[in-house]
Amino acid sequence: MELRHLHVVLTVARAGSISRAASQMKIAQAGLTAQVRRIEASLGGPLFLRRNDGVELTELGRHVVLRAQDLVERFDDLLVTSHKLAGRGDSGIRLGGVAGSPTALLVGVVREVLPSLPQTTHIERGGDTVLELVRTGDLDLALVVEFPRSPLRFPEAVGLRRVITERMLIGVPVGHRLSGRSEVLLSELAGEEWVVPDENHGGRLNLDLACEAVGFTPRCAHFGVDPVVAADLVRSTGAVAGFFPGHDLPGVLLKPIIGNPLHRRITLVWNTDAAEHVDDVHAGLLRAYHERTPHSGRLLAS
């Protein structure tokens, strides 16, 4: 009995007839019939009941098909993972994130936890792209961002652990009418010109909805910029912008929002190859995040 024999059994079972299976396999029907009989003899009994309109699995056949499916899938997985590992060689661990996420924090933590392992880092525009790269094994560990009104769909094959919820801060230029305030109401920003960072995962939608809930539509004038450029625009134009913790923004004053409705959730995701490192990396992220921004986030249960 060889693995190819199990493929024959599964093909006949799925096709429901010897003739259809022979056509799919591009072999003669008589040759396939002879193969099935030899397989049945080696397994000790008939796997199929022959009928005028095809074949039906016997009790033994159902048992064999169930176990064969499991064996074939596990063998296929062995081939995929072996080729992946052989192709990777000494490429080390592949990290990823989305634009605007604290990916640099992940890179630093992994370098601390796994100092001898080479790293590469890949930044993508959207969380769905990152999750697909993790699912296929092209990334090992990554950080993705979710906003309340724009949840991600996590594939079953991807491991995930919540890291933290970050509250948005409002950035205003020095000398702004609200620059002397320790915190602001979102409604006080009606009529302001806004800079909108490059958030490809729901940030703009959540800003619009939060502002509309307090009675105004944000007047967005500058779009698709990273936090550094957003800070330059705030300084040069007098506009306001939403920022998340962790950026050094000279000339921009960051103000907490009273009753803040604007936040995002950071999640660590991984594929099975990186599962052994997750506990250490997750703990390192929590520690590093709170060392950097001790009062700006709220921990989530892992």
Side-chain angles (χ1 to χ4, degrees):
M1 174 64 65
E2 300 175 13
L3 188 66
R4 62 186 178 88
H5 296 141
L6 298 182
H7 280 287
V8 169
V9 172
L10 291 174
T11 301
V12 174
R14 284 192 291 264
S17 85
I18 297 287
S19 60
R20 283 194 294 271
S23 177
Q24 293 173 15
M25 299 171 70
K26 295 182 171 53
I27 62 176
Q29 181 174 339
L32 179 57
T33 299
Q35 275 196 65
V36 170
R37 285 176 177 163
R38 286 195 295 271
I39 293 168
E40 289 177 323
S42 68
L43 290 172
L47 304 180
F48 303 99
L49 294 174
R50 278 66 171 175
R51 301 188 182 281
N52 292 334
D53 57 348
V55 295
E56 179 183 335
L57 286 169
T58 63
E59 183 177 355
L60 175 61
R62 287 192 293 272
H63 170 80
V64 169
V65 165
L66 182 63
R67 297 296 181 91
Q69 186 66 52
D70 180 59
L71 287 170
V72 168
E73 288 177 357
R74 289 167 63 185
F75 185 78
D76 289 344
D77 180 68
L78 172 63
L79 291 178
V80 169
T81 55
S82 296
H83 288 159
K84 187 189 305 178
L85 186 60
R88 281 178 59 181
D90 295 327
S91 62
I93 190 164
R94 296 154 302 174
L95 309 177
V98 292
S101 71
T103 309
L105 209 62
L106 174 63
V107 172
V109 167
V110 172
R111 185 162 294 168
E112 177 185 326
V113 172
L114 304 166
S116 63
L117 199 60
Q119 298 178 21
T120 57
T121 306
H122 306 267
I123 304 298
E124 302 293 337
R125 292 290 304 277
D128 291 332
T129 301
V130 172
L131 290 173
E132 179 62 15
L133 290 172
V134 174
R135 186 191 70 80
T136 59
D138 293 305
L139 290 177
D140 298 306
L141 289 162
L143 290 178
V144 292
V145 172
E146 287 181 284
F147 286 87
R149 306 290 182 95
S150 308
L152 291 170
R153 295 181 179 179
F154 292 89
E156 291 185 7
V158 172
L160 65 98
R161 189 172 296 179
R162 309 299 184 190
V163 179
I164 202 164
T165 293
E166 296 180 309
R167 296 179 177 88
M168 180 183 283
L169 304 170
I170 297 299
V172 301
V174 174
H176 187 274
R177 63 184 175 84
L178 298 174
S179 60
R181 296 277 296 277
S182 60
E183 53 185 5
V184 299
L185 287 166
L186 191 59
S187 58
E188 294 179 290
L189 300 168
E192 295 285 346
E193 185 176 284
W194 284 78
V195 179
V196 183
D198 183 14
E199 293 286 7
N200 203 33
H201 23 269
R204 170 72 188 278
L205 171 63
N206 280 265
L207 173 64
D208 287 347
L209 292 174
C211 292
E212 288 172 7
V214 296
F216 74 97
T217 298
R219 186 162 56 90
C220 299
H222 311 284
F223 302 91
V225 295
D226 63 35
V228 174
V229 176
D232 285 339
L233 288 167
V234 168
R235 286 189 294 267
S236 63
T237 68
V240 301
F243 295 94
F244 287 97
H247 297 287
D248 183 18
L249 306 171
V252 176
L253 304 174
L254 298 178
K255 307 293 181 180
I257 304 171
I258 299 170
N260 195 345
L262 294 166
H263 59 273
R264 67 180 186 177
R265 186 164 55 197
I266 307 296
T267 301
L268 175 67
V269 294
W270 65 89
N271 66 36
T272 54
D273 293 339
E276 62 182 302
H277 307 305
V278 167
D279 288 343
D280 291 338
V281 171
H282 183 259
L285 280 170
L286 297 182
R287 182 173 61 253
Y289 187 90
H290 285 294
E291 287 173 356
R292 187 183 70 173
T293 53
H295 305 299
S296 58
R298 176 172 59 85
L299 289 178
L300 293 176
S302 60

